Every structure is written in structure tokens, then in C-alpha cells.
Amino acid sequence: QVQLVESGGGLVQPGGSLRLSCVYSGSISSVNVLGWYRKAPGKERELVARIRSPSNTNYADSVKGRFTISRDNSERTLYLQMNSLKPEDTAVYYCNYAEIYGSYNSWGQGTQVTVSS
């Protein structure tokens, strides 16, 4: 079992920045991928970014150049630095853990990000 706890969401003005954190614990596979997903009202949950290693990352086109995903394996923490935020970034952001050579995956409880003036 893997547990994930997100933090760092909040209300920010357009153009502002936020950094989300996700602390993961439990039985962590040595081969895994961590990701951030988001779900806005009336929309499907979508991938924002995911990371296997610092040189192996993927981003949604809508956030490329504005968001940066990183991970600190020693602290078991996943980060999402969000800059130049737009109202359309408003959503609940979820942290996800998935085993690459297995079917197990786990979700955090989500953290609300609201971009509004």
C-alpha cells in the first residue's frame, strides 16, 4: 500500500505562482512513476505532468513552459511548481503513484487550486 498526501493548494491571482507538494509513504517500488492530475468542474480528470526520473518527464501541452514537476526520493516528496497561473488552471489537483511493471496505483485526496482575481 502507498499513501499520498498533497498540500500547497489555495487561491492565487492570475499570473501568480503556487507549489504543490505530495508526500508518499508505504511500500514503494524501486521502479515507479509519480504524476499530477487535475479535475475541473464539468471536465474529465486529466494528466498535468508525470516523472520517472529528472530526465524522464511528461507534460500536458497546456502547462508546458509554466509548470515544473520534480521529485525528491530521499524525502519521498513530489512537487509541482506552477507559474504564470491562469483561470483555466483552476481544478482539484491529485497526486498519483503507479508501478511501472505492475498494475498497482494509488491516489491522494486532492488539493484545490483556484486562480481568480
Side-chain angles (χ1 to χ4, degrees), residues 61-80:
D61 288 343
S62 60
V63 306
K64 282 181 181 177
R66 300 188 298 123
F67 291 10
T68 303
I69 190 170
S70 61
R71 62 189 291 174
D72 184 334
N73 290 335
S74 64
E75 295 294 330
R76 290 193 166 189
T77 304
L78 174 71
Y79 300 101
L80 184 69

Side-chain angles (χ1 to χ4, degrees), residues 5-96:
V5 180
E6 303 100 332
S7 62
L11 173 64
V12 63
Q13 293 186 340
S17 298
L18 279 177
R19 188 175 81 155
L20 305 184
S21 299
C22 171
V23 177
Y24 51 97
S25 61
S27 301
I28 305 298
S29 168
S30 60
V31 185
N32 63 73
V33 59
L34 293 168
W36 289 100
Y37 291 73
R38 67 187 181 188
K39 187 178 186 312
K43 294 186 178 181
E44 297 289 320
R45 184 162 55 187
E46 63 175 357
L47 173 69
V48 176
R50 58 188 174 194
I51 181 169
R52 178 172 173 177
S53 67
S55 61
N56 190 336
T57 59
N58 299 99
Y59 293 91
D61 288 343
S62 60
V63 306
K64 282 181 181 177
R66 300 188 298 123
F67 291 10
T68 303
I69 190 170
S70 61
R71 62 189 291 174
D72 184 334
N73 290 335
S74 64
E75 295 294 330
R76 290 193 166 189
T77 304
L78 174 71
Y79 300 101
L80 184 69
Q81 178 66 43
M82 305 186 294
N83 298 328
S84 302
L85 282 160
K86 304 175 181 180
E88 50 263 45
D89 294 318
T90 295
V92 178
Y93 284 70
Y94 297 90
C95 178
N96 175 263

